[in-house]
Amino acid sequence: MNRRRFLSRAYWLVAAAHAWPVWAAPRLDRDPFTLGVASGEPSSDGFVLWTRLAPDPLAGGGMPPMTVPIEWRVANDERLARVVARGTVNAVPAHAHAVHVEVSGLVPDRWYWYQFSVGSGASRHVSAVGRTRTAPSAGTVTRQLCFALASCQKWEDGFFTAFQRMADEDIDCVVHVGDYIYEGGPRRDKVREQPLEPCMTLEQYRLRYAFYKRDEHLQRAHAMFPWIVTPDDHEVSDNYAGGIPDWDSPLEGFLDRRAAAYQAYYEHMPLRASARPAGPDMRICRALGFGRLATFHLLDTRQFRSDQPCGDREKHSCPERMDPARTMLGAAQEQWLFDGLRHSPAQWNLLTQQVIAAQLNLDREGGETFAMDKWDGYPVARQRLLDFLGDARPANPVVLSGDNHNNWVFDLKRSFGNERDPAVATEFVSTSITSNSDGADMREDLAHCLGINPHARYLNSRRGYVRLRVTRERLQADFRVLPYVTRPDAPIRTDATFIVESGRPGAIRG
Ligand code: FE
Ligand code: CA
């Protein structure tokens, strides 16, 4: 028995002993797999499998307060004929009957299929069949890695057509950089009705995930690929910074609210037990390797950041933002990132994070206006990162971001104002899945930004995602956009393609 298995068994024995009776032969009269299945955190020998028992998803899940055993199996084939791993995991009320199975011992770099079941005989229920994959082993030089970069899926703003189209892509995984839910109160005046009260308690956050996860296109995108996820602000509270919530929320009790939000996030995402929150603290930053080709350095730009300077929002003048004590990642995470980059064996180092890293002047009158929630509110911390990239020269750093509800491409420079300064990295920002509804190819209020920010290479404000293909020679980013999300079933198209050649930071229009 390996150590991990021992620890997880020990945990469940303790949990089962002092908490809930075990329903050894569960008889559920309704399908409990209403929220679908998911997988994530691919390693070279396994991944995490996720599901949650919720026969009545909008009424607290509808499960009795009992421990319920769930069977899982992993196979080499779509019909689950050649099973290579199987087991039983207990769903407990303390985790809303959500389970995370960490499967190991599999073969690197191949697809697998999986399924959950609960009960037996006439009262047996089976989940949808999911597909997932392992990563190549650490020393391997893989031919390519393909993935979709996504963020920001406000339910009421539109249909999840982007996930419908993403599920048909030939990609290895999905990278989601946050705003998986939006925590606000009811909206009946938008594209889809969102009737729920604002999220403040664990029950309310859980309900919001259940509400979102009933969506068939979101479920299919989860069932087709492993996901690699990090939260942004709306999983907790709009623009929160460390222990400080948005403008409208009470400061008192915010850490309890953050604990509830992180708990619900963990419960509903295919994360490893190492990400299980302890009170208001959750380990979100981590590195995931894909052979020697690429490493994802997944960052957390919310939990440890200083408060936004000058009262947040867009500011024309804000000397406070230059305070050298201000931090975006926190000292420990920043050091972890620099160490990871310094020792990275990967040919491509993908800094996967939330808010725009590039300087982005929004001013219309020849001055300077910056958005305080982005790295523009943390310019000294950003300079440390860019100087590190320029001096230590880790291989091919590429920053992947979300949050902004626009597609952008930026050349990242130590000196943004200097057109002759060479790029030290390239940033790709993915638009939203639905947030801000249909959008436009060119927003009139942002068009001037391309002229006054010469390192900004591309802007498009339709909904969709970025499809990335990484090979030894180059990284290619295809901006996949939808003409509308206010009606279902829109077709998808590639609006633009950008390329980064290995060894040459900066984007080239394809
Ligand atoms: Fe968002
Ligand atoms: Ca956000």
Side-chain angles (χ1 to χ4, degrees):
M1 197 185 302
N2 67 31
R3 187 168 160 274
R4 178 180 291 156
R5 188 166 292 169
F6 173 78
L7 286 174
S8 84
R9 259 193 73 164
Y11 173 81
W12 290 119
L13 288 174
V14 170
H18 75 71
W20 312 276
V22 178
W23 197 6
R27 301 169 68 86
L28 296 162
D29 49 15
R30 271 186 292 176
D31 173 22
F33 296 108
T34 58
L35 306 181
V37 298
S39 71
E41 303 295 294
S43 68
S44 60
D45 80 333
F47 33 69
V48 176
L49 303 179
W50 174 93
T51 194
R52 181 185 160 196
L53 302 179
D56 198 354
L58 301 187
M63 290 295 290
M66 299 176 90
T67 293
V68 178
I70 301 178
E71 284 169 39
W72 57 269
R73 56 197 168 127
V74 174
N76 273 328
D77 62 309
E78 200 169 353
R79 296 170 152 211
L80 302 164
R82 285 171 284 135
V83 172
V84 294
R86 65 194 317 155
T88 302
V89 59
N90 280 333
V92 297
H95 289 161
H97 292 96
V99 293
H100 303 78
V101 180
E102 296 191 40
V103 184
S104 59
L106 301 178
V107 175
D109 200 16
R110 63 152 298 161
W111 289 100
Y112 290 94
W113 286 261
Y114 62 94
Q115 188 176 44
F116 296 94
S117 67
V118 64
S120 61
S123 54
R124 182 169 185 259
H125 297 275
V126 296
S127 74
V129 174
R131 188 185 72 152
T132 190
R133 62 170 295 135
T134 49
S137 55
T140 314
V141 182
T142 318
R143 198 170 52 86
Q144 65 171 18
L145 162 67
C146 296
F147 62 98
L149 175 68
S151 72
C152 295
Q153 53 200 53
K154 194 181 241 184
W155 172 274
E156 53 266 41
D157 280 3
F159 292 91
F160 287 173
T161 314
F163 287 127
Q164 183 182 358
R165 302 301 170 219
M166 190 188 291
D168 291 331
E169 298 275 12
D170 185 12
I171 52 176
D172 298 296
C173 61
V174 173
V175 175
H176 197 292
V177 291
D179 291 359
Y180 189 101
I181 58 160
Y182 281 70
E183 81 287 13
R187 292 300 297 259
R188 297 193 159 84
D189 53 337
K190 306 292 277 293
V191 181
R192 294 201 280 186
E193 181 178 345
Q194 193 292 98
L196 306 173
E197 290 306 307
C199 296
M200 300 294 285
T201 66
L202 178 56
E203 287 65 35
Q204 287 168 330
Y205 282 108
R206 282 174 171 165
L207 176 57
R208 194 64 56 103
Y209 285 98
F211 186 82
Y212 275 56
K213 276 181 163 286
R214 294 171 313 145
D215 185 274
E216 59 170 325
H217 303 311
L218 177 58
Q219 285 195 12
R220 183 147 176 268
H222 273 296
M224 287 299 289
F225 319 104
W227 284 39
I228 298 168
V229 300
T230 63
D232 188 25
D233 54 335
H234 284 288
E235 283 85 350
V236 182
S237 163
D238 187 17
N239 282 18
Y240 83 96
I244 302 168
D246 58 42
W247 312 281
D248 308 327
S249 296
L251 182 59
E252 194 174 337
F254 177 66
L255 285 183
D256 291 338
R257 183 181 176 197
R258 196 176 92 182
Y262 284 177
Q263 172 72 19
Y265 182 76
Y266 170 75
E267 284 172 355
H268 291 85
M269 294 295 136
L271 290 166
R272 292 187 186 274
S274 53
R276 182 187 294 160
D281 305 318
M282 179 174 182
R283 182 156 179 105
I284 292 159
C285 74
R286 61 201 189 275
L288 283 177
F290 198 85
R292 278 181 57 189
L293 182 64
T295 292
F296 293 102
H297 304 265
L298 298 142
L299 307 182
D300 174 354
T301 58
R302 289 287 166 194
Q303 195 173 181
F304 307 107
R305 69 155 80 187
S306 314
D307 196 13
Q308 292 89 350
C310 303
D312 204 353
R313 313 205 195 221
E314 293 172 7
K315 287 285 146 49
H316 179 57
S317 169
C318 176
E320 183 194 338
R321 76 187 186 108
M322 301 309 296
D323 180 347
R326 299 179 49 67
T327 179
M328 182 58 115
L329 301 174
Q333 184 182 196
E334 190 174 302
Q335 198 55 54
W336 167 86
L337 173 63
F338 291 177
D339 288 345
L341 288 169
R342 211 177 264 122
H343 301 119
S344 171
Q347 186 171 3
W348 294 89
N349 285 290
L350 309 172
L351 280 67
T352 304
Q353 51 104 51
Q354 293 79 28
V355 295
I356 289 179
Q359 178 173 293
L360 180 55
N361 185 6
L362 303 164
D363 205 281
R364 298 184 148 276
E365 275 129 30
E368 290 192 326
T369 297
F370 298 113
M372 297 295 113
D373 186 55
K374 310 187 195 343
W375 282 81
D376 273 334
Y378 306 76
V380 180
R382 173 171 61 200
Q383 197 64 46
R384 278 198 302 274
L385 174 59
L386 296 174
D387 285 343
F388 174 84
L389 296 177
D391 293 338
R393 293 182 155 271
N396 294 314
V398 174
V399 177
L400 304 174
S401 317
D403 170 67
N404 191 246
H405 310 171
N406 301 289
N407 286 305
W408 294 95
V409 176
F410 297 105
D411 291 341
L412 296 181
K413 300 178 170 194
R414 293 204 224 203
S415 174
F416 283 105
N418 180 354
E419 286 202 43
R420 286 199 302 269
D421 193 41
V424 296
T426 319
E427 180 176 18
F428 295 97
V429 182
S430 180
T431 186
S432 65
I433 295 292
T434 54
S435 305
N436 289 28
S437 285
D438 285 346
D441 286 317
M442 186 54 66
R443 269 172 58 175
E444 272 179 34
D445 60 327
L446 288 177
H448 68 289
C449 292
L450 290 174
I452 61 174
N453 298 277
H455 55 282
R457 308 289 307 283
Y458 172 66
L459 166 63
N460 176 286
S461 304
R462 295 286 181 195
R463 308 287 74 93
Y465 52 89
V466 188
R467 183 180 64 197
L468 292 109
R469 190 160 77 98
V470 186
T471 65
R472 282 174 64 78
E473 293 75 32
R474 61 188 207 168
L475 176 148
Q476 176 175 327
D478 299 319
F479 287 85
R480 305 282 280 159
V481 299
L482 300 161
Y484 51 85
V485 292
T486 48
R487 289 169 287 136
D489 298 327
I492 199 157
R493 67 184 174 87
T494 297
D495 185 70
T497 292
F498 281 83
I499 286 161
V500 183
E501 291 179 348
S502 180
R504 294 184 54 192
I508 301 163
R509 185 130 193 173

